Amino acid sequence: LVRAESDSGGIDVLNYNAAVIRPNTPLLDTSIDDIRSDLLIDIGGALIAARAAIPAMKGRGDGTIIFSGGGLSENPWHTMLTLGVGKAGMRNAVGALNQDPAAEGLRICYVKIAAHVIGEVRDELAEIYLRIHTQPQEEFEEEVTYFRPYGQG
């Protein structure tokens, strides 16, 4: 990110959407090592990315950081423990970053995606992300939910 910042003349929008998906791993069978490594990617990676982008965005007086999350951040599923906890941690990090004076004036948003991201869903999400980035600060939303029943898109 630091190289991208210097090579491109600045990062205007950062979307963090990394996650480890371990489908069908029962809660009680999830190893501590898996939990540790998955949360390092979800939460640790999100904070490392934000830490790299915020100073330059703040220096320019504008910037948007979007953490892409999911419905599991609020609605746990017993075979998707680390993904749900990771997304909940990202959601919490957005709230904390928005309280941090070092990020004041920036748009830091959690987009909760409760949909299968295929077809026109991608275009609709792109429109939401653009709206987040271009909306006036006084209209800024810290969290946006996108919902579409699975199988539609």
Side-chain angles (χ1 to χ4, degrees), residues 1 18-19 53 58 69 75 77-78 86 112-114 117 139 141:
L1 283 176
K58 183 81 171 169
N75 301 298
W77 188 249
H78 71 284
K112 181 174 62 176
I113 303 167
V117 183
E139 296 174 19
E141 302 167 81

Short mmCIF file of all heavy atoms in Angstrom, two decimals, residues 1 18-19 53 58 69 75 77-78 86 112-114 117 139 141:
data_model
loop_
_atom_site.label_atom_id
_atom_site.label_comp_id
_atom_site.label_asym_id
_atom_site.label_seq_id
_atom_site.Cartn_x
_atom_site.Cartn_y
_atom_site.Cartn_z
N LEU A 1 0.81 -1.20 0.00
CA LEU A 1 0.00 0.00 0.00
C LEU A 1 0.85 1.26 0.00
O LEU A 1 0.48 2.23 -0.62
CB LEU A 1 -0.93 0.01 1.22
CG LEU A 1 -2.14 -0.88 1.13
CD1 LEU A 1 -2.91 -0.85 2.44
CD2 LEU A 1 -3.04 -0.51 -0.01
N ALA A 18 -10.39 -9.02 2.61
CA ALA A 18 -9.70 -10.31 2.76
C ALA A 18 -10.37 -11.12 3.87
O ALA A 18 -10.86 -10.58 4.85
CB ALA A 18 -8.24 -10.07 3.10
N ALA A 19 -10.39 -12.40 3.68
CA ALA A 19 -10.95 -13.30 4.70
C ALA A 19 -10.52 -14.73 4.39
O ALA A 19 -10.19 -15.06 3.26
CB ALA A 19 -12.47 -13.22 4.71
N ALA A 53 -2.86 3.53 4.98
CA ALA A 53 -3.56 4.50 4.12
C ALA A 53 -3.92 5.80 4.83
O ALA A 53 -3.93 6.87 4.19
CB ALA A 53 -4.83 3.86 3.56
N LYS A 58 -5.28 11.56 5.29
CA LYS A 58 -5.46 12.66 6.22
C LYS A 58 -4.69 13.88 5.75
O LYS A 58 -5.19 15.01 5.79
CB LYS A 58 -4.99 12.23 7.61
CG LYS A 58 -5.19 13.24 8.68
CD LYS A 58 -6.59 13.23 9.19
CE LYS A 58 -6.65 14.14 10.42
NZ LYS A 58 -7.96 14.41 10.86
N GLY A 69 -17.76 -6.58 4.80
CA GLY A 69 -18.08 -7.62 5.75
C GLY A 69 -19.25 -8.45 5.29
O GLY A 69 -19.55 -8.52 4.10
N ASN A 75 -24.95 -12.44 12.70
CA ASN A 75 -25.74 -13.66 12.74
C ASN A 75 -24.82 -14.87 12.61
O ASN A 75 -24.57 -15.35 11.52
CB ASN A 75 -26.77 -13.65 11.61
CG ASN A 75 -27.70 -12.46 11.71
OD1 ASN A 75 -28.42 -12.30 12.67
ND2 ASN A 75 -27.63 -11.58 10.72
N TRP A 77 -22.97 -18.52 12.58
CA TRP A 77 -23.30 -19.84 12.07
C TRP A 77 -22.24 -20.80 12.60
O TRP A 77 -21.05 -20.54 12.47
CB TRP A 77 -23.36 -19.83 10.55
CG TRP A 77 -23.88 -21.11 9.99
CD1 TRP A 77 -23.17 -22.04 9.29
CD2 TRP A 77 -25.20 -21.63 10.10
NE1 TRP A 77 -23.97 -23.10 8.95
CE2 TRP A 77 -25.24 -22.87 9.45
CE3 TRP A 77 -26.37 -21.17 10.72
CZ2 TRP A 77 -26.38 -23.66 9.38
CZ3 TRP A 77 -27.50 -21.94 10.65
CH2 TRP A 77 -27.50 -23.17 9.96
N HIS A 78 -22.66 -21.89 13.17
CA HIS A 78 -21.76 -22.78 13.91
C HIS A 78 -20.65 -23.40 13.06
O HIS A 78 -19.66 -23.87 13.61
CB HIS A 78 -22.56 -23.88 14.62
CG HIS A 78 -23.14 -24.91 13.70
ND1 HIS A 78 -24.25 -24.66 12.93
CD2 HIS A 78 -22.74 -26.16 13.42
CE1 HIS A 78 -24.52 -25.74 12.22
NE2 HIS A 78 -23.62 -26.66 12.50
N GLY A 86 -14.26 -12.78 12.60
CA GLY A 86 -13.40 -11.85 11.88
C GLY A 86 -14.16 -10.66 11.34
O GLY A 86 -13.72 -9.51 11.46
N LYS A 112 -21.89 -4.28 5.19
CA LYS A 112 -22.33 -5.63 5.52
C LYS A 112 -23.05 -6.19 4.29
O LYS A 112 -24.12 -5.72 3.92
CB LYS A 112 -23.26 -5.62 6.74
CG LYS A 112 -23.73 -7.00 7.14
CD LYS A 112 -24.53 -6.99 8.42
CE LYS A 112 -25.76 -6.16 8.28
NZ LYS A 112 -26.64 -6.18 9.45
N ILE A 113 -22.44 -7.17 3.68
CA ILE A 113 -22.99 -7.76 2.46
C ILE A 113 -23.66 -9.08 2.83
O ILE A 113 -22.99 -10.05 3.20
CB ILE A 113 -21.89 -7.99 1.41
CG1 ILE A 113 -21.19 -6.67 1.10
CG2 ILE A 113 -22.48 -8.62 0.15
CD1 ILE A 113 -19.90 -6.83 0.31
N ALA A 114 -24.96 -9.10 2.73
CA ALA A 114 -25.72 -10.32 3.00
C ALA A 114 -26.32 -10.76 1.66
O ALA A 114 -27.50 -10.57 1.39
CB ALA A 114 -26.80 -10.05 4.04
N VAL A 117 -22.35 -12.68 -3.98
CA VAL A 117 -21.83 -11.63 -4.85
C VAL A 117 -21.56 -12.20 -6.24
O VAL A 117 -20.45 -12.65 -6.56
CB VAL A 117 -20.57 -10.98 -4.24
CG1 VAL A 117 -20.09 -9.84 -5.13
CG2 VAL A 117 -20.87 -10.46 -2.84
N GLU A 139 -23.31 13.60 5.57
CA GLU A 139 -24.24 12.52 5.25
C GLU A 139 -23.60 11.14 5.39
O GLU A 139 -24.23 10.12 5.12
CB GLU A 139 -24.75 12.68 3.81
CG GLU A 139 -25.55 13.93 3.59
CD GLU A 139 -25.93 14.14 2.13
OE1 GLU A 139 -25.89 13.16 1.35
OE2 GLU A 139 -26.25 15.28 1.77
N GLU A 141 -22.32 7.58 6.33
CA GLU A 141 -22.86 6.46 7.07
C GLU A 141 -21.72 5.53 7.47
O GLU A 141 -20.97 5.08 6.61
CB GLU A 141 -23.84 5.67 6.20
CG GLU A 141 -24.99 6.48 5.65
CD GLU A 141 -25.72 5.73 4.55
OE1 GLU A 141 -26.55 4.87 4.90
OE2 GLU A 141 -25.43 5.98 3.38
#
